[in-house]
Amino acid sequence: MRNAQISNARSAGPDALRTREILTARARALARPYRRPPAADQAIEVVDFRLAQESFGIEQTFVREVQPLRELTPLPCTPPFIRGIINVRGEILPVLDMKIFFELPGAGIADLHMVIIVHAGDVELGILADVVTGTRSVPLNTLQPCPPTLAGARMKYLKGVTNEGMVILDVARILSDADITVNEEVPS
Amino acid sequence: MPTQDDEFIKQLRETFSVEAAEHLQSMASMLLELEKAPPSAQGAETIEKVYREAHSLKGAARAVDLSGIEAICQSLESVFSEWKRGKSTPSPEVFDTLHSDLDEIHALLARAGADSTGGALERGNRSPGAEVAPRLPLPIQPAPSQLVESENAAVAATTVRIPIAKLNARLLQAEDMLLVKAMAAQRAAELKQVTALFDQWHREWAKVSIEARILLRSRKPDPDAEIGAQPIAASAKLAHFIDWNCDYFRSLENRLNSLATRAKQDCQGVGKRVDDLLEDSKNLLLMPFSTLSVIFPRLVREICRNQGKEVDLVIRGAEVEIDNRILEEMKDVLIHVLRNCVDHGVETPAERVRLGKPERANITISVSQVNGRSVEIVVSDDGAGVDLERVKDAAVAQGILSEIDARALDEPDALALIFQSGVSSSPTVTGLSGRGLGMAIVREKTGNLGGRTSIESKRHVGTSLRMVLPLTLATFRGIVVSADGRKFVVPTVHVERAMRVKPQDIRTVGNRQTVSLQARIVSLARLAAVLELPPKTNHDDAGVAVPVVVLHSAGQRIAFAVDEILQEEEVLVKPFRKPLLRVRNITGATVLGSGQVVPILNVADLLISARTHGAPPGAALPGPARERSAPTNKVLVVDDSVTSRMLLKGILESAGYQVKTAVDGVEAFTALHEDGFDLVVSDVEMPRMNGFDLTAKIRRDKRLVDLPIVLITALESRQERERGIDAGASAYIIKSSFDQSNLLEIIRRLV
C-alpha cells in the first residue's frame, strides 16, 4: 500500500517509460497477497489462563463467565476428566479438567482455583484453571499449528499456538465431541 | 454471513412453523372426529372448520414462499370443499390419504426449518407438491380468508407466545431463590444461638451479683472509714465499671434479641415471597394435558390400522394442567403405554367377538387432579389383561425369584413383576416382551419425576395402569447419607428402613454379605464400593455397628452400608444436562440448605450395580449373575414334603447356591449319579429309602464317598443323632431348632 502511494505521488511525471515503471511497481504492490495488516476483525479475543505452568486461551465468544472455584462436588461413576459438578445460578454444570486430556502433570485439585464457564450450542460446562490472567487479543495470523508432541491424541481439541506459546483451545470442537458425553447404562 | 433479509425470512419461517404445527394439529384431530361421525350429521360444522384451517395454512405457506405446502393445502381444501357441498362421502382410504398429506406437510416443515438458507428451502418448494396435488380432486376457488384471520387476531390479543426455554430460565432463577430462603433461615438460627449465649452470662452474673451489690454499696465513701481510702477509691472505680458493664451487656442483649426477632420475621417474609414466586413461576409452566394428548388419537389409529385392530380412544380430563416439564417427560412414556395397550392388550376384532366382547376395543386415558399437589393419569383398556402365569414363569426363568416364591406371590405382587426389565427380555415370553420392558421404563421415568406407578389387570377383562405424578416438578423428601466422606441423597420413597447393624449380624454367605431383616435375608453392599469410590484401607473398625439403609425398587431390596445417615431434607432435583446425558447410579443433583451440591442416587441402578460391584474385594459375582461367574456350588435337596423341599430350595437359592430336588433316597441316588453335586441336604424320614440309608449308600459309593451330607430331621433323640453320624452324615440338624442362618453357616463350612 505504502509503495502504491509513493508511486502515486510520482506518477505526475510525463515520461511514458517512467509511467510504465510506475504502473508496474503499482501492479506489483497490488498483486502482493493481502495478508499483512492485522485488522481488528482478524484477531480473536481470548481469555488467557494457566494450567500446570502452560498458557492456554479460550475464545471469549464461548466464555459465559469466570469464577473462583468455591465448591466442587465429585461425581462418581463418571470418566476422570469430569472432576465434578458445580452450581451456577441454580444450574448444575459439569466441570472438566483439561489436564487429563493433555496429560499434563499435577492431577491434584490443589492448584485449581478458577473455573471458566463456557458454552457452545446446547452444551454448557466449566473448565478448570489454575489462574486466569485476563483477556487479550490474538491476531489470527500469529496462530500456528501445534507441535504434535504437545497434545497427542487430543490434537483435535486445539485451534493453534501463538508466538508466545499460548495454546488456543477449540471450544466448539471440545463441547461437541462425543468423547466428552457421558451416557452410560448400568450393565446388568 | 446471513443478510438482514435472510434473517428476517428465517424469523418469519420460525413463526410460520409454529402456526403451521397448530393448524396441522387441529386438522388432524378434526379428521379423526369426522372419521368417527359421518360428515352428513353434526359433522358439517367440523368440515367447515377443517376447511378453514386448510385454507389459512395455505395462505400462510404462500406468504413465506413455501409452495410445496401451499400446493398440498390447496388439494386438501378442495377435498373438504367437496364434502361441504355433500358431493362425496369420505372412505377410510381417503382419511389415510389426508393423514399422510398432513405428514407430508410436517416433513416439508421440518426440512424448511432444518436449514435456514434459501437453497434448501427451494428444495422443499418444488418436489412433493407436484406429486401430491394430482392425487386429489381438482382445486376449487379459494374462499375469502378475512374471517379466519380476524379470529386469529382476537386470540393474539389476550395471549403472548413465550418460548418455553425462557420460562424455564425464569423458573430456575426462582428455584435458586430457595437457597436465599434457606440462608435467611440459617442466619436467623445463628442469631438465635448467639442470643442464647447470654443465658450463660446471666448465670455467671447471678453467681457474683450479691458480691457486686456489696461492692457497689461500699462505693459510697464512708465518712467513718479513714484507713484504706486509696484502695476504696480504686475499687469504687472498678465497681462503677462493673455496674456500667452490666448495663451495657443488658442493652446489648436487648438489641440482639430484637435483631434476632426481626431476622426471624424477615426470614418468614422472605420465605413467603420466595414460595409465592416459585409457585407462580411453576404455574407459568403449567399446560393442559391436551397439549400432549392431541397426538394420541392419530397414534392409536395408526397402530390399529397396522395391526388390524379397532379401538376407540377416549381422553377424559384433557384440560387438567400439568407442569410442562413433566408433560415432556411423560410424552414418551404414554406413547409407550398406548402402543403396549394396542399391541398386547387389545385383541383382534375376531377374537373379541369370540370372547363375547364388543368388536371395537376401548382405551381410556383419564386425567384428574388428586389433590392440590398431584395428578393421576390412568390408562385403561378392555383387552386381554396380563397373563400372570407367564409373567411368573418369566421371572423364575430370569432368576429374579425362586419357584417357591413365585408360587407364594399374590396377584398384585405378581403383577408388579412386569415392572422388572429382566422379565421382559426373556425369550420365553415373546407375547409379553414389549410390555415388560416398557413397564420398566414407565416406572423409572415416573419414579424420576417423583411419581408412582401401579397396575391392575384382570384376565380377559382388561388392564389399567395408574400413574400418580406431582403437578409440578416439586421438591421431594430425600435422606442424606455419606459414603467415604461424600454426601449423597436417596429419595425417601425408596428407603425401606434405615438402621444400624452389628457386625456379628452380618453373615458372609457364599461370596457375599447378607443381613437378616424381618426373617428375610437381604444382601448387604457397601455404598462406596457400588459407587466405585476409591477404596479406603481402614474400613473394618470391628465391633462398631454399621449404619445401613435398605433400598427397594420394583420389588427388590438390598441393604447398603454407609458411613453415616445424616438427615432427611426437602430436596429439589436439578437434572444433569449435556454432556451428562446419563450417569450410572446417579439421577441428578440437588442443592442442600447449606448450599452444598449433592448427587441424587438412582436406586433402580444401584440395585443392579450392587449385584456386580457390591461384593467384597476378590469375591466372585454373586446372585443372579452367577451363570457368568465362578462355578457355584450345587446342592441336592431331598425331602418327601413339597413344602420343606421348596422352603429349603428357596433358602439355598437366595444364598447363591444352585439347587436340585429329589423326593426320596432312591430318586436322590439316581440324581447323584446323573449330575455332580457339592452337597446333599436330606430329610431322614422318607418313603422307599430314608435319609440314613441314603447316607450309608452314598458312603459306600466310591465316587461319592467324600460328598458332604446334611441330615435334617424331626427325630431329636440322641440315639437317632448318633445313628445319623454313624451312617456318615457330615452334619445333623434338628428341625425344631431349625434356623436358616444356622443351616447356611453349616453348609458354607462344608463346601
Side-chain angles (χ1 to χ4, degrees):
Chain A
M1 289 293 259
R2 200 158 48 99
N3 281 355
Q5 272 172 357
I6 291 166
S7 34
N8 232 347
R10 285 185 191 161
S11 67
D15 187 1
L17 257 176
R18 181 100 188 107
T19 309
R20 174 171 299 177
E21 198 179 300
I22 289 164
L23 286 173
T24 315
R26 189 188 295 171
R28 208 176 291 135
L30 290 171
R32 191 178 293 162
Y34 183 74
R35 195 196 282 159
R36 269 285 109 116
D41 60 344
Q42 286 213 297
I44 48 172
E45 289 292 315
V46 298
V47 172
D48 181 1
F49 69 99
R50 289 294 135 76
L51 205 55
Q53 313 307 318
E54 302 276 347
S55 170
F56 285 91
I58 289 178
E59 280 174 81
Q60 208 164 30
T61 46
F62 296 114
V63 177
R64 185 146 280 169
E65 61 184 283
V66 176
Q67 47 170 257
L69 183 67
R70 283 181 297 265
E71 193 212 344
L72 180 70
T73 302
L75 199 59
C77 308
T78 50
F81 60 81
I82 294 200
R83 290 304 288 260
I85 43 176
I86 51 168
N87 178 11
V88 182
R89 278 187 302 280
E91 281 213 68
I92 303 295
L93 301 182
V95 173
L96 260 55
D97 189 351
M98 291 287 151
K99 279 186 201 168
I100 288 163
F101 284 147
F102 303 123
E103 289 154 30
L104 294 174
I109 201 98
D111 296 330
L112 299 164
H113 301 302
M114 302 297 284
V115 54
I116 304 167
I117 313 292
V118 293
H119 64 104
D122 54 350
V123 180
E124 187 170 355
L125 47 79
I127 289 177
L128 287 173
D130 293 348
V131 186
V132 175
T133 38
T135 61
R136 64 160 90 177
S137 179
V138 174
L140 274 181
N141 54 16
T142 64
L143 272 189
Q144 286 146 28
C146 291
T149 47
L150 180 78
R154 302 294 181 174
M155 246 324 245
K156 57 181 178 179
Y157 289 167
L158 306 181
K159 228 184 169 103
V161 59
T162 65
N163 294 339
E164 302 98 25
M166 187 210 281
V167 178
I168 310 291
L169 296 178
D170 191 341
V171 173
R173 188 74 184 266
I174 297 173
L175 266 55
S176 62
D177 191 11
D179 286 0
I180 69 155
T181 306
V182 178
N183 189 8
E184 294 178 10
E185 297 280 341
V186 172
S188 57
Chain B
M1 276 278 155
T3 65
Q4 268 192 332
D5 273 1
D6 284 343
E7 200 54 38
F8 176 67
I9 288 171
K10 196 180 154 201
Q11 269 187 19
L12 207 60
R13 290 214 160 117
E14 276 168 14
T15 317
F16 169 73
S17 74
V18 174
E19 186 193 341
E22 282 173 5
H23 287 308
L24 288 173
Q25 196 55 70
S26 56
M27 276 197 268
S29 27
M30 282 187 261
L31 283 179
L32 287 168
E33 207 176 302
L34 284 171
E35 197 178 356
K36 264 190 226 161
S40 51
Q42 74 272 37
E45 203 181 314
T46 316
I47 294 177
E48 179 63 34
K49 271 196 240 158
V50 77
Y51 170 78
R52 272 198 232 152
E53 289 284 350
H55 182 77
S56 345
L57 183 57
K58 186 184 77 177
R62 191 192 297 135
V64 291
D65 206 18
L66 290 172
S67 56
I69 294 177
E70 189 190 337
I72 301 177
C73 289
Q74 176 71 62
S75 60
L76 288 175
E77 207 185 297
S78 48
V79 174
F80 299 149
S81 139
E82 292 268 303
W83 292 358
K84 252 172 67 173
R85 286 179 291 165
K87 281 205 169 171
S88 71
T89 5
S91 65
E93 289 69 37
V94 171
F95 279 109
D96 281 347
T97 318
L98 292 173
H99 279 300
S100 72
D101 281 347
L102 295 186
D103 284 341
E104 210 142 353
I105 299 180
H106 265 300
L108 286 176
L109 264 178
R111 223 178 312 164
D115 11 42
S116 49
T117 51
L121 287 168
E122 275 164 30
R123 277 203 313 275
N125 269 347
R126 264 182 262 117
S127 50
E131 292 168 26
V132 176
R135 259 202 270 148
L136 294 161
L138 284 173
I140 54 141
Q141 288 297 323
S145 63
Q146 281 85 342
L147 184 63
V148 178
E149 273 155 21
S150 65
E151 255 182 25
N152 283 348
V155 174
T158 54
T159 51
V160 180
R161 215 187 283 276
I162 300 172
I164 284 168
K166 279 190 179 175
L167 290 175
N168 277 339
R170 274 297 82 70
L171 184 63
L172 275 179
Q173 285 171 341
E175 282 176 349
D176 212 24
M177 292 301 288
L178 278 178
L179 206 60
V180 175
K181 180 185 161 188
M183 284 190 310
Q186 186 116 25
R187 290 298 99 78
E190 281 164 9
L191 266 176
K192 187 102 183 95
Q193 282 167 11
V194 174
T195 58
L197 293 177
F198 276 96
D199 291 347
Q200 198 186 346
W201 179 82
H202 280 294
R203 276 198 301 279
E204 295 300 319
W205 176 245
K207 281 184 205 161
V208 296
S209 59
I210 297 168
E211 287 84 349
R213 228 173 288 136
I214 295 169
L215 203 64
L216 285 173
R217 222 175 291 136
S218 67
R219 185 176 54 158
K220 296 178 189 97
D222 182 354
D224 303 331
E226 293 283 323
I227 10 156
Q230 279 288 333
I232 285 171
S235 69
K237 211 169 175 185
L238 213 53
H240 178 75
F241 170 75
I242 290 171
D243 195 21
W244 173 85
N245 200 24
C246 181
D247 287 346
Y248 190 76
F249 256 75
R250 287 213 167 101
S251 76
L252 208 58
E253 185 190 6
N254 283 338
R255 288 184 62 179
L256 254 176
N257 272 333
S258 66
L259 197 61
T261 311
R262 256 179 294 149
K264 198 177 163 203
Q265 285 163 354
D266 288 353
C267 161
Q268 282 161 350
V270 167
K272 177 85 177 66
R273 282 176 182 80
V274 168
D275 288 345
D276 286 352
L277 177 67
L278 193 55
E279 204 53 46
D280 287 352
S281 308
K282 280 178 184 167
N283 288 344
L284 281 182
L285 281 165
L286 289 184
M287 306 261 261
F289 184 74
S290 56
T291 54
L292 175 63
S293 64
V294 278
I295 58 168
F296 295 156
R298 272 199 70 188
L299 180 86
V300 168
R301 183 183 181 277
E302 236 160 67
I303 308 169
C304 283
R305 281 190 75 83
N306 284 338
Q307 303 209 346
K309 292 178 180 173
E310 287 176 18
V311 170
D312 284 325
L313 178 69
V314 179
I315 301 174
R316 292 206 191 100
E319 72 287 345
V320 174
E321 291 191 320
I322 306 174
D323 190 320
N324 182 53
R325 294 173 298 177
I326 290 179
L327 286 177
E328 281 290 308
E329 288 290 315
M330 288 309 290
K331 187 175 170 181
D332 289 348
V333 172
L334 286 167
I335 288 176
H336 224 116
V337 169
L338 284 174
R339 191 158 278 155
N340 278 336
C341 274
V342 181
D343 225 13
H344 307 295
V346 170
E347 311 92 333
T348 56
E351 173 75 5
R352 288 181 67 86
V353 169
R354 199 180 65 78
L355 290 164
K357 292 182 180 185
E359 211 173 326
R360 287 181 78 82
N362 185 292
I363 296 178
T364 309
I365 304 177
S366 62
V367 185
S368 54
Q369 203 166 322
V370 184
N371 48 43
R373 300 195 66 85
S374 42
V375 65
E376 186 186 70
I377 303 174
V378 182
V379 182
S380 44
D381 63 62
D382 60 354
V386 176
D387 186 343
L388 285 184
E389 288 312 309
R390 284 168 82 178
V391 171
K392 282 186 191 175
D393 289 349
V396 172
Q398 283 288 302
I400 287 168
L401 81 172
S402 64
E403 227 176 289
I404 179 166
D405 283 343
R407 219 150 285 175
L409 280 185
D410 52 1
E411 261 188 42
D413 281 351
L415 256 179
L417 282 174
I418 70 165
F419 288 114
Q420 296 202 14
S421 57
V423 174
S424 64
S425 51
S426 160
T428 58
V429 279
T430 39
L432 274 165
S433 60
R435 184 154 215 151
L437 184 63
M439 289 303 149
I441 293 167
V442 168
R443 177 161 276 197
E444 185 183 332
K445 282 250 185 183
T446 47
N448 289 347
L449 291 169
R452 297 189 311 275
T453 321
S454 61
I455 190 165
E456 278 167 41
S457 178
K458 230 185 178 99
R459 199 82 186 103
H460 301 306
V461 174
T463 306
S464 83
L465 180 75
R466 188 179 305 268
M467 289 163 283
V468 180
L469 293 162
L471 213 52
T472 61
L473 264 193
T475 52
F476 69 90
R477 298 200 74 77
I479 290 178
V480 186
V481 299
S482 72
D484 273 5
R486 299 188 192 169
K487 284 183 186 172
F488 297 96
V489 171
V490 192
T492 306
V493 287
H494 288 298
V495 180
E496 187 171 305
R497 57 193 294 193
M499 56 184 187
R500 283 179 175 274
V501 174
K502 291 191 213 104
Q504 59 263 35
D505 293 338
I506 300 176
R507 295 191 184 273
T508 309
V509 174
N511 40 30
R512 50 182 182 156
Q513 294 188 311
T514 60
V515 286
S516 150
L517 186 75
Q518 290 162 336
R520 271 187 71 167
I521 290 183
V522 176
S523 302
L524 176 73
R526 243 171 30 88
L527 183 58
V530 176
L531 290 175
E532 300 152 39
L533 301 181
K536 282 189 176 170
T537 42
N538 53 341
H539 192 260
D540 41 354
D541 18 9
V544 183
V546 190
V548 158
V549 282
V550 182
L551 305 185
H552 66 99
S553 168
Q556 288 188 297
R557 52 171 142 171
I558 289 181
F560 288 88
V562 297
D563 293 353
E564 272 180 284
I565 298 164
L566 296 156
Q567 76 262 26
E568 193 178 15
E569 266 198 39
E570 196 86 39
V571 295
L572 184 78
V573 197
K574 302 268 182 184
F576 289 142
R577 43 182 288 178
K578 237 173 157 187
L580 300 180
L581 293 179
R582 193 190 194 286
V583 178
R584 280 179 291 126
N585 303 315
I586 293 168
T587 6
T590 188
V591 184
L592 296 184
S594 58
Q596 203 177 356
V597 177
V598 176
I600 298 171
L601 299 178
N602 179 337
V603 174
D605 269 15
L606 278 182
L607 293 182
I608 299 170
S609 300
R611 285 193 238 134
T612 42
H613 289 282
L621 299 179
R626 60 181 169 259
E627 298 84 359
R628 282 181 275 124
S629 67
T632 47
N633 293 312
K634 282 173 81 176
V635 177
L636 181 66
V637 169
V638 194
D639 203 314
D640 58 330
S641 144
V642 62
T643 321
S644 310
R645 217 159 51 222
M646 285 306 151
L647 176 69
L648 285 167
K649 189 172 190 257
I651 293 169
L652 292 170
E653 277 183 342
S654 59
Y657 295 99
Q658 204 178 325
V659 180
K660 282 218 165 156
T661 55
V663 295
D664 59 31
V666 177
E667 199 182 305
F669 198 72
T670 319
L672 285 171
H673 277 273
E674 281 168 0
D675 213 343
F677 286 92
D678 299 296
L679 186 127
V680 174
V681 178
S682 175
D683 187 17
V684 171
E685 292 178 305
M686 289 181 296
R688 294 209 286 175
M689 187 195 285
N690 70 20
F692 295 139
D693 295 341
L694 174 65
T695 307
K697 200 162 182 192
I698 288 172
R699 287 294 172 250
R700 282 198 301 271
D701 192 296
K702 256 182 265 163
R703 278 173 299 170
L704 303 172
V705 66
D706 293 325
L707 185 68
I709 304 167
V710 178
L711 289 179
I712 299 178
T713 180
L715 307 170
E716 212 174 331
S717 76
R718 218 182 96 204
Q719 274 169 304
E720 294 293 344
R721 178 192 295 255
E722 275 166 6
R723 201 181 145 197
I725 301 295
D726 285 347
S730 322
Y732 196 88
I733 298 174
I734 310 298
K735 267 183 187 164
S736 58
S737 67
F738 184 78
D739 166 317
Q740 50 173 283
S741 51
N742 184 20
L743 171 72
L744 292 172
E745 188 67 40
I746 288 170
I747 291 177
R748 196 177 55 80
R749 276 209 314 263
L750 288 173
V751 293

